[in-house]
């Protein structure tokens, strides 16, 4: 047998062994239900029916199933990401980039219609519900504000974004600028969010503008959860060091009564999320994570005042730091609770109202359920 023939046979055998090995691995391994690295559920084997086969739906769904349940899928995702960065010199993978030890997601372009629409939605809520309240607005910069321009990535024009938004926001909103209270060090390395333990300057700025600084004391105990891999760790597929997630407790917070509109009684920090399988993101320990409406009642409050906080996910970790100043704090997430139903669950009146939204949400304001 010639050398060429031997090489051909060996190549065929090796290729067949590799393909067969992956096939057996796929058949013998149980299908996963979700992927923690990508924060989503995995496709399952599709139902077989004559109509699904005839329409092509079965093959489409089977392809998704095969890709999601492929053996060593996360390993191959990591190899792809490393090749993209180190071999092909790409600056990002899945729009995630690494700079100064931080992972961030490119947020571009700026959608001016979304910015103005966001302002219009908040104006509508003010006009219909909040005319008797003290109303404030604070905008949270995403990580690109600190990283993108310096490292050569596409970046929103944040000055234009702020000017456009505030030009269209009702003058009844008292604007609180917190951009200069934050640095990139105040955010997690692998996640989109800020670190609760590093928010004292931001809390002080907001509290000072709202006239509640004298009712707050930064007297907390730091608690840590090791090996926190944020959402960008999974999306980037890069091998990265984990963050340490820190949450702040106090006797006052421990004594609060917390209620989730959808699930009932809960706690300021729901540590069950770490073990009960109800969440794929450890950041969800902060006030149950994504939730339409949360109330925190503080029996130790020095003043019979209420704070109503319209917020996105950044609000989950900063809200506990205002609890000391109020008898009740109500958190509303307009991504999950339509504004038409607000008056059914919340009594508006002589309350302090803070709108706290990240630039990312303002640039995709179609997700806010306000009509």
């Amino acid at each position: 047998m010639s050398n060429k023939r031997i090489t051909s046979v060996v190549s065929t055998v090796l290729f067949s062994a590799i393909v067969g090995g992956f096939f057996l691995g796929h058949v013998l391994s149980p299908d996963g239900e979700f992927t923690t690295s990508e924060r989503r559920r995995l496709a399952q084997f599709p139902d077989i029916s004559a109509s699904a086969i005839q329409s092509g739906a079965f093959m489409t769904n089977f392809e998704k199933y095969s890709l999601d349940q492929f053996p060593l899928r996360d390993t191959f995702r990591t190899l792809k990401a490393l090749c993209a960065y180190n071999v092909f010199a790409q600056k990002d993978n899945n729009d995630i980039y690494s700079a100064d030890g931080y992972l961030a997601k490119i947020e571009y372009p700026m959608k001016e219609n979304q910015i103005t629409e966001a302002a219009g939605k908040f104006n509508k809520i003010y006009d219909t519900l909040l005319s008797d309240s003290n109303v404030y607005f604070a905008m949270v910069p995403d990580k690109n504000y600190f990283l993108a321009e310096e490292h050569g990535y596409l970046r929103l024009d944040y000055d234009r974004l702020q000017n456009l938004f505030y030009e269209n926001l009702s003058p009844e909103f008292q604007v609180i600028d917190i951009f200069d209270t934050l640095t990139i060090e105040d955010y997690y390395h692998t996640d989109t969010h800020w670190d609760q333990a590093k928010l004292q300057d931001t809390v002080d700025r907001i509290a000072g503008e709202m006239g509640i600084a004298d009712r707050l004391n930064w007297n907390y105990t730091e608690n840590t959860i090791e090996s926190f891999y944020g959402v960008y760790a999974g999306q980037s597929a890069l091998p990265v060091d984990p963050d340490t997630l820190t949450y702040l407790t106090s006797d006052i917070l421990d004594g609060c009564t917390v209620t989730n509109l959808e699930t009932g009684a809960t706690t300021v920090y729901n540590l069950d999320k770490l073990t009960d399988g109800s969440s794929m993101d450890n950041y969800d320990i902060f006030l149950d994570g994504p939730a339409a409406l949360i109330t925190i009642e503080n029996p130790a409050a020095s003043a019979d005042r209420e704070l109503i906080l319209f917020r996105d996910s950044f609000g989950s970790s900063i809200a506990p730091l205002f609890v000391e100043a109020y008898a009740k704090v109500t958190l509303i997430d307009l991504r999950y609770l339509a504004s038409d139903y607000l008056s059914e669950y919340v009594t508006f009146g002589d309350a302090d109202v803070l709108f706290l939204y990240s630039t990312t949400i303002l640039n995709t304001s179609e997700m806010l359920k306000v009509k």
Side-chain angles (χ1 to χ4, degrees):
M1 184 179 293
S2 67
N3 290 338
K4 184 176 181 180
R5 173 96 175 152
I6 292 172
T7 300
S8 177
V9 170
V10 170
S11 299
T12 301
V13 170
L14 286 176
F15 177 77
S16 300
I18 292 172
V19 172
F22 278 108
F23 174 76
L24 287 175
H26 180 74
V27 171
L28 297 176
S29 300
D31 291 341
E33 293 186 12
F34 55 82
T35 167
T36 54
S37 62
E38 297 177 72
R39 302 290 201 277
R40 66 179 181 84
R41 295 195 173 278
L42 295 170
Q44 301 298 304
F45 191 86
D47 293 333
I48 301 176
S49 67
S51 60
I53 294 174
Q54 185 176 9
S55 67
F58 174 80
M59 289 307 301
T60 298
N61 293 330
F62 182 80
E63 182 178 2
K64 294 177 182 177
Y65 162 77
S66 300
L67 292 172
D68 273 6
Q69 303 293 345
F70 193 81
L72 302 177
R73 184 173 183 275
D74 283 342
T75 301
F76 281 105
R77 290 183 67 245
T78 298
L79 288 174
K80 172 185 175 293
L82 290 173
C83 286
Y85 278 106
N86 300 320
V87 177
F88 299 109
Q90 293 180 200
K91 290 177 67 66
D92 65 271
N93 183 51
N94 300 327
D95 288 334
I96 308 295
Y97 65 90
S98 177
D100 294 340
Y102 291 85
L103 297 176
K105 185 171 185 177
I106 295 172
E107 179 70 26
Y108 190 86
M110 187 171 77
K111 305 165 188 172
E112 295 196 358
N113 64 317
Q114 293 292 305
I115 304 299
T116 56
E117 183 178 322
K121 288 181 174 182
F122 299 143
N123 291 341
K124 181 175 181 180
I125 292 175
Y126 177 84
D127 292 339
T128 56
L129 298 170
L130 304 176
S131 58
D132 295 327
S133 302
N134 301 313
V135 184
Y136 305 86
F137 193 97
M139 187 185 300
V140 181
D142 64 87
K143 291 166 75 174
N144 291 289
Y145 175 75
F146 307 99
L147 293 172
E149 185 173 37
E150 179 182 353
H151 294 278
Y153 292 93
L154 293 171
R155 175 184 187 269
L156 300 179
D157 182 340
Y158 288 93
D159 289 337
R160 171 62 177 159
L161 187 156
Q162 292 180 83
N163 290 335
L164 180 63
F165 178 77
Y166 289 129
E167 285 170 2
N168 286 275
L169 190 67
S170 169
E172 302 299 331
F173 285 79
Q174 301 176 58
V175 174
I176 304 174
D177 184 3
I178 61 172
F179 274 50
D180 64 338
T181 70
L182 294 162
T183 67
I184 189 58
E185 288 79 16
D186 299 325
Y187 294 72
Y188 290 112
H189 290 80
T190 65
D191 197 59
T192 185
H193 296 106
W194 52 22
D195 184 341
Q196 187 190 51
K198 298 178 180 179
L199 295 180
Q200 185 169 7
D201 289 345
T202 303
V203 170
D204 287 346
R205 172 69 59 79
I206 294 173
E209 294 288 337
M210 294 177 64
I212 60 169
D214 60 337
R215 305 207 300 268
L216 292 179
N217 295 293
W218 193 270
N219 186 21
Y220 297 103
T221 300
E222 290 193 5
N223 307 267
T224 58
I225 298 171
E226 303 299 328
S227 299
F228 168 52
Y229 288 94
V231 64
Y232 293 151
Q235 291 179 359
S236 71
L238 290 170
V240 294
D241 294 328
D243 283 294
T244 296
L245 188 151
T246 304
Y247 62 100
L248 304 177
T249 57
S250 67
D251 291 340
I252 289 176
L253 291 177
D254 290 343
C256 289
T257 299
V258 185
T259 305
N260 184 325
L261 173 67
E262 299 166 273
T263 61
T266 185
T267 53
V268 174
Y269 305 108
N270 187 351
L271 300 183
D272 289 341
K273 295 277 187 180
L274 302 175
T275 58
D276 66 6
S278 63
S279 173
M280 291 182 280
D281 188 346
N282 286 358
Y283 184 79
D284 287 349
I285 68 165
F286 295 102
L287 292 171
D288 270 6
L293 190 144
I294 296 278
T295 59
I296 309 170
E297 296 180 73
N298 173 21
S302 59
D304 187 22
R305 294 286 298 168
E306 179 178 1
L307 171 66
I308 298 173
L309 177 61
F310 288 88
R311 54 80 180 218
D312 56 23
S313 55
F314 282 85
S316 297
S317 53
I318 199 173
L321 307 181
F322 297 114
V323 166
E324 186 178 8
Y326 294 95
K328 184 177 183 181
V329 176
T330 299
L331 290 83
I332 299 168
D333 195 328
L334 294 170
R335 294 173 298 175
Y336 307 106
L337 180 62
S339 60
D340 294 347
Y341 298 99
L342 288 176
S343 59
E344 295 184 21
Y345 299 106
V346 182
T347 301
F348 297 93
D350 183 21
D352 292 337
V353 180
L354 173 62
F355 287 72
L356 183 79
Y357 281 93
S358 66
T359 50
T360 301
I361 295 296
L362 298 181
N363 202 41
T364 53
S365 63
E366 69 265 19
M367 67 178 61
L368 301 176
K369 297 181 179 181
V370 182
K371 296 182 180 180

